[in-house]
Amino acid sequence: MTTPTALAPAQAAARLDDHTVIDVRTPGEYASGHLPGAHNIPLDHLHTALPALKAAAARGSLLMVCASGNRSTTACTELAAADIPATTLTGGTTAWVGEGHTLHRPDNATAVWPMERQVRLAAGTLVVAGLALGTRYRPARWLSAAIGSGLIFSAATNTCGMAAALAKLPHNQPRTTDLDATLRALQD
């Protein structure tokens, strides 16, 4: 098993051409802006891509990227378990942009909210709905309690069940042809 490493945005920018960049965000997040030359393999499809990633890693370094660095660190850990060395971008695309580097945005891409923002909207909506419904139907308040408990669990474990559920929505799913093309490009 290999040990995951991390690069700061300035380090990654200086050696970007030395890496095969893999963006593990949802396709919608990827389309709203990604590192130049990045390939999109959503985190929940990483296991499918292991053979292609192993082939790409044999040719050079893999740089895993997400919005904040959490999902890319998870991806690096998963890859390390499969003996595929990978590096994560510390702070993700947020830190990349924060240090003045640009993101590539395809002309025809539609912007989708980042997953963190989608989670905040869904959680907030469910809490308010639970409280509002609780004024008429007292047991509905348990919805708010359940969402609050889920957020605490999410923070304590650095996982997010709501993000996993939201990632399954159609606008967050890769088109099969896109994922297949990415995997073929990594194999070559």
Side-chain angles (χ1 to χ4, degrees):
M1 184 165 147
T2 60
T3 304
T5 58
L7 285 178
Q11 295 170 308
R15 301 185 319 158
L16 196 58
D17 292 337
D18 298 341
H19 296 283
T20 299
V21 182
I22 308 295
D23 193 318
V24 296
R25 297 176 298 159
T26 66
E29 291 175 292
Y30 172 83
S32 66
H34 54 271
L35 270 67
H39 300 277
N40 184 222
I41 301 175
L43 184 59
D44 58 342
H45 292 273
L46 199 64
H47 63 282
T48 304
L50 288 177
L53 291 169
K54 192 168 200 79
R59 291 188 306 274
S61 302
L62 295 180
L63 177 63
M64 309 306 284
V65 179
C66 68
S68 67
N70 289 335
R71 285 178 279 179
S72 59
T73 299
T74 300
C76 284
T77 302
E78 241 180 87
L79 292 173
D83 286 327
I84 301 171
T87 302
T88 186
L89 178 65
T90 304
T93 56
T94 303
W96 179 266
V97 170
E99 289 192 14
H101 305 291
T102 60
L103 295 177
H104 174 72
R105 289 183 174 87
D107 294 333
N108 61 348
T110 57
V112 172
W113 284 0
M115 186 56 66
E116 179 188 348
R117 188 173 181 192
Q118 292 180 47
V119 168
R120 289 192 320 251
L121 174 68
T125 300
L126 290 172
V127 167
V128 169
L131 291 173
L133 289 171
T135 61
R136 297 287 261 174
Y137 182 66
R138 291 183 61 82
R141 294 179 302 161
W142 286 105
L143 174 62
S144 298
I147 297 300
S149 298
L151 291 171
I152 292 168
F153 178 80
S154 175
T157 62
N158 199 27
T159 61
C160 188
M162 188 175 290
L166 291 171
K168 303 217 180 298
L169 292 175
H171 66 275
N172 286 326
Q173 287 296 305
R175 293 183 301 237
T176 305
T177 55
D178 291 345
L179 185 57
D180 291 342
T182 298
L183 297 179
R184 278 192 306 277
L186 291 173
Q187 294 271 1
D188 296 340

